[in-house]
mmCIF file of all heavy atoms in Angstrom:
data_model
loop_
_atom_site.group_PDB
_atom_site.id
_atom_site.type_symbol
_atom_site.label_atom_id
_atom_site.label_comp_id
_atom_site.label_asym_id
_atom_site.label_seq_id
_atom_site.Cartn_x
_atom_site.Cartn_y
_atom_site.Cartn_z
ATOM 1 N N ASP A 80 19.895 -1.700 15.971
ATOM 2 C CA ASP A 80 19.414 -1.925 17.331
ATOM 3 C C ASP A 80 18.046 -1.284 17.537
ATOM 4 O O ASP A 80 17.182 -1.832 18.210
ATOM 5 C CB ASP A 80 20.419 -1.396 18.339
ATOM 6 C CG ASP A 80 21.675 -2.246 18.451
ATOM 7 O OD1 ASP A 80 21.660 -3.401 17.951
ATOM 8 O OD2 ASP A 80 22.689 -1.749 18.997
ATOM 9 N N VAL A 81 17.847 -0.097 16.954
ATOM 10 C CA VAL A 81 16.528 0.550 17.035
ATOM 11 C C VAL A 81 15.508 -0.321 16.316
ATOM 12 O O VAL A 81 14.403 -0.544 16.833
ATOM 13 C CB VAL A 81 16.570 1.976 16.451
ATOM 14 C CG1 VAL A 81 15.157 2.555 16.386
ATOM 15 C CG2 VAL A 81 17.489 2.876 17.237
ATOM 16 N N LYS A 82 15.864 -0.839 15.154
ATOM 17 C CA LYS A 82 14.968 -1.713 14.378
ATOM 18 C C LYS A 82 14.615 -2.964 15.181
ATOM 19 O O LYS A 82 13.435 -3.380 15.234
ATOM 20 C CB LYS A 82 15.628 -2.088 13.041
ATOM 21 C CG LYS A 82 14.928 -3.145 12.258
ATOM 22 C CD LYS A 82 13.650 -2.630 11.599
ATOM 23 C CE LYS A 82 13.180 -3.641 10.543
ATOM 24 N NZ LYS A 82 11.789 -3.985 10.730
ATOM 25 N N ALA A 83 15.592 -3.598 15.806
ATOM 26 C CA ALA A 83 15.360 -4.817 16.586
ATOM 27 C C ALA A 83 14.417 -4.526 17.757
ATOM 28 O O ALA A 83 13.484 -5.298 18.013
ATOM 29 C CB ALA A 83 16.670 -5.390 17.099
ATOM 30 N N TYR A 84 14.620 -3.390 18.431
ATOM 31 C CA TYR A 84 13.745 -3.020 19.533
ATOM 32 C C TYR A 84 12.329 -2.737 19.013
ATOM 33 O O TYR A 84 11.339 -3.169 19.600
ATOM 34 C CB TYR A 84 14.305 -1.848 20.336
ATOM 35 C CG TYR A 84 13.383 -1.418 21.416
ATOM 36 C CD1 TYR A 84 13.161 -2.275 22.521
ATOM 37 C CD2 TYR A 84 12.709 -0.208 21.398
ATOM 38 C CE1 TYR A 84 12.292 -1.893 23.530
ATOM 39 C CE2 TYR A 84 11.831 0.161 22.423
ATOM 40 C CZ TYR A 84 11.628 -0.689 23.462
ATOM 41 O OH TYR A 84 10.741 -0.360 24.462
ATOM 42 N N ALA A 85 12.234 -2.018 17.899
ATOM 43 C CA ALA A 85 10.941 -1.671 17.303
ATOM 44 C C ALA A 85 10.181 -2.950 16.955
ATOM 45 O O ALA A 85 8.986 -3.096 17.243
ATOM 46 C CB ALA A 85 11.111 -0.805 16.064
ATOM 47 N N ASP A 86 10.875 -3.913 16.375
ATOM 48 C CA ASP A 86 10.259 -5.205 16.060
ATOM 49 C C ASP A 86 9.755 -5.896 17.329
ATOM 50 O O ASP A 86 8.671 -6.497 17.335
ATOM 51 C CB ASP A 86 11.238 -6.115 15.308
ATOM 52 C CG ASP A 86 11.511 -5.646 13.877
ATOM 53 O OD1 ASP A 86 10.751 -4.803 13.356
ATOM 54 O OD2 ASP A 86 12.525 -6.103 13.314
ATOM 55 N N ALA A 87 10.567 -5.824 18.368
ATOM 56 C CA ALA A 87 10.188 -6.492 19.622
ATOM 57 C C ALA A 87 8.959 -5.897 20.271
ATOM 58 O O ALA A 87 8.218 -6.616 20.954
ATOM 59 C CB ALA A 87 11.367 -6.405 20.600
ATOM 60 N N ILE A 88 8.680 -4.635 20.050
ATOM 61 C CA ILE A 88 7.481 -4.019 20.649
ATOM 62 C C ILE A 88 6.336 -3.933 19.670
ATOM 63 O O ILE A 88 5.293 -3.410 20.019
ATOM 64 C CB ILE A 88 7.813 -2.604 21.248
ATOM 65 C CG1 ILE A 88 8.242 -1.611 20.143
ATOM 66 C CG2 ILE A 88 8.821 -2.708 22.351
ATOM 67 C CD1 ILE A 88 8.386 -0.181 20.617
ATOM 68 N N GLY A 89 6.533 -4.465 18.447
ATOM 69 C CA GLY A 89 5.417 -4.535 17.493
ATOM 70 C C GLY A 89 5.334 -3.352 16.548
ATOM 71 O O GLY A 89 4.322 -3.164 15.882
ATOM 72 N N LEU A 90 6.366 -2.577 16.448
ATOM 73 C CA LEU A 90 6.372 -1.374 15.555
ATOM 74 C C LEU A 90 7.029 -1.746 14.245
ATOM 75 O O LEU A 90 8.190 -2.207 14.237
ATOM 76 C CB LEU A 90 7.094 -0.213 16.201
ATOM 77 C CG LEU A 90 7.362 1.003 15.310
ATOM 78 C CD1 LEU A 90 6.057 1.612 14.795
ATOM 79 C CD2 LEU A 90 8.164 2.035 16.083
ATOM 80 N N ASP A 91 6.328 -1.553 13.138
ATOM 81 C CA ASP A 91 6.909 -1.766 11.795
ATOM 82 C C ASP A 91 7.444 -0.415 11.309
ATOM 83 O O ASP A 91 6.665 0.525 11.088
ATOM 84 C CB ASP A 91 5.864 -2.320 10.851
ATOM 85 C CG ASP A 91 6.395 -2.558 9.454
ATOM 86 O OD1 ASP A 91 7.657 -2.515 9.270
ATOM 87 O OD2 ASP A 91 5.599 -2.828 8.539
ATOM 88 N N LEU A 92 8.744 -0.319 11.157
ATOM 89 C CA LEU A 92 9.366 0.941 10.727
ATOM 90 C C LEU A 92 9.256 1.146 9.236
ATOM 91 O O LEU A 92 9.627 2.181 8.715
ATOM 92 C CB LEU A 92 10.817 0.999 11.183
ATOM 93 C CG LEU A 92 11.067 1.088 12.671
ATOM 94 C CD1 LEU A 92 12.532 0.991 12.992
ATOM 95 C CD2 LEU A 92 10.473 2.381 13.255
ATOM 96 N N GLY A 93 8.730 0.173 8.499
ATOM 97 C CA GLY A 93 8.537 0.303 7.061
ATOM 98 C C GLY A 93 9.742 -0.101 6.256
ATOM 99 O O GLY A 93 10.813 -0.424 6.769
ATOM 100 N N GLU A 94 9.555 -0.080 4.951
ATOM 101 C CA GLU A 94 10.587 -0.562 4.029
ATOM 102 C C GLU A 94 11.849 0.287 4.039
ATOM 103 O O GLU A 94 12.933 -0.225 4.033
ATOM 104 C CB GLU A 94 10.037 -0.545 2.595
ATOM 105 C CG GLU A 94 8.998 -1.621 2.325
ATOM 106 C CD GLU A 94 9.579 -3.003 2.274
ATOM 107 O OE1 GLU A 94 10.672 -3.164 1.737
ATOM 108 O OE2 GLU A 94 8.940 -3.936 2.790
ATOM 109 N N GLY A 95 11.741 1.608 4.070
ATOM 110 C CA GLY A 95 12.890 2.468 3.929
ATOM 111 C C GLY A 95 13.528 2.888 5.259
ATOM 112 O O GLY A 95 14.155 3.958 5.321
ATOM 113 N N TRP A 96 13.425 2.068 6.272
ATOM 114 C CA TRP A 96 13.919 2.453 7.591
ATOM 115 C C TRP A 96 15.411 2.698 7.571
ATOM 116 O O TRP A 96 15.930 3.534 8.339
ATOM 117 C CB TRP A 96 13.543 1.438 8.676
ATOM 118 C CG TRP A 96 14.214 0.119 8.541
ATOM 119 C CD1 TRP A 96 13.745 -0.981 7.847
ATOM 120 C CD2 TRP A 96 15.457 -0.291 9.091
ATOM 121 N NE1 TRP A 96 14.608 -2.017 7.950
ATOM 122 C CE2 TRP A 96 15.690 -1.632 8.696
ATOM 123 C CE3 TRP A 96 16.446 0.324 9.848
ATOM 124 C CZ2 TRP A 96 16.821 -2.346 9.043
ATOM 125 C CZ3 TRP A 96 17.559 -0.381 10.200
ATOM 126 C CH2 TRP A 96 17.744 -1.701 9.801
ATOM 127 N N GLU A 97 16.140 2.027 6.688
ATOM 128 C CA GLU A 97 17.604 2.160 6.646
ATOM 129 C C GLU A 97 18.022 3.541 6.153
ATOM 130 O O GLU A 97 19.125 4.017 6.503
ATOM 131 C CB GLU A 97 18.227 1.079 5.772
ATOM 132 C CG GLU A 97 18.080 -0.304 6.367
ATOM 133 C CD GLU A 97 17.750 -1.356 5.324
ATOM 134 O OE1 GLU A 97 17.082 -0.998 4.337
ATOM 135 O OE2 GLU A 97 18.166 -2.507 5.521
ATOM 136 N N GLU A 98 17.195 4.194 5.346
ATOM 137 C CA GLU A 98 17.514 5.516 4.825
ATOM 138 C C GLU A 98 17.175 6.630 5.807
ATOM 139 O O GLU A 98 17.650 7.751 5.646
ATOM 140 C CB GLU A 98 16.771 5.764 3.499
ATOM 141 C CG GLU A 98 17.339 5.020 2.324
ATOM 142 C CD GLU A 98 16.909 3.554 2.299
ATOM 143 O OE1 GLU A 98 15.764 3.254 2.637
ATOM 144 O OE2 GLU A 98 17.739 2.692 1.925
ATOM 145 N N LYS A 99 16.389 6.328 6.806
ATOM 146 C CA LYS A 99 16.009 7.363 7.792
ATOM 147 C C LYS A 99 17.178 7.594 8.767
ATOM 148 O O LYS A 99 18.006 6.719 8.954
ATOM 149 C CB LYS A 99 14.771 6.935 8.576
ATOM 150 C CG LYS A 99 13.511 6.840 7.708
ATOM 151 C CD LYS A 99 12.362 6.392 8.538
ATOM 152 C CE LYS A 99 11.131 6.252 7.666
ATOM 153 N NZ LYS A 99 9.976 5.733 8.407
ATOM 154 N N SER A 100 17.207 8.763 9.346
ATOM 155 C CA SER A 100 18.258 9.062 10.323
ATOM 156 C C SER A 100 17.989 8.298 11.611
ATOM 157 O O SER A 100 16.844 7.912 11.943
ATOM 158 C CB SER A 100 18.318 10.569 10.600
ATOM 159 O OG SER A 100 17.197 10.964 11.395
ATOM 160 N N LEU A 101 19.046 8.052 12.356
ATOM 161 C CA LEU A 101 18.934 7.393 13.634
ATOM 162 C C LEU A 101 18.000 8.161 14.543
ATOM 163 O O LEU A 101 17.173 7.557 15.254
ATOM 164 C CB LEU A 101 20.330 7.225 14.271
ATOM 165 C CG LEU A 101 20.401 6.535 15.630
ATOM 166 C CD1 LEU A 101 19.860 5.109 15.535
ATOM 167 C CD2 LEU A 101 21.831 6.514 16.120
ATOM 168 N N LYS A 102 18.090 9.482 14.522
ATOM 169 C CA LYS A 102 17.231 10.330 15.359
ATOM 170 C C LYS A 102 15.783 10.155 15.015
ATOM 171 O O LYS A 102 14.939 10.035 15.894
ATOM 172 C CB LYS A 102 17.671 11.797 15.197
ATOM 173 C CG LYS A 102 16.849 12.776 16.013
ATOM 174 C CD LYS A 102 17.278 14.206 15.787
ATOM 175 C CE LYS A 102 16.373 15.130 16.555
ATOM 176 N NZ LYS A 102 16.682 16.539 16.286
ATOM 177 N N ASP A 103 15.449 10.113 13.696
ATOM 178 C CA ASP A 103 14.063 9.913 13.272
ATOM 179 C C ASP A 103 13.530 8.564 13.703
ATOM 180 O O ASP A 103 12.357 8.449 14.086
ATOM 181 C CB ASP A 103 13.938 10.080 11.761
ATOM 182 C CG ASP A 103 14.131 11.526 11.305
ATOM 183 O OD1 ASP A 103 14.015 12.451 12.155
ATOM 184 O OD2 ASP A 103 14.342 11.741 10.103
#
Side-chain angles (χ1 to χ4, degrees):
D80 288 344
V81 174
K82 171 74 167 128
Y84 178 67
D86 290 344
I88 63 171
L90 171 60
D91 181 10
L92 292 174
E94 290 288 322
W96 67 269
E97 292 140 329
E98 285 79 38
K99 294 179 182 176
S100 72
L101 181 60
K102 180 181 176 185
D103 289 344

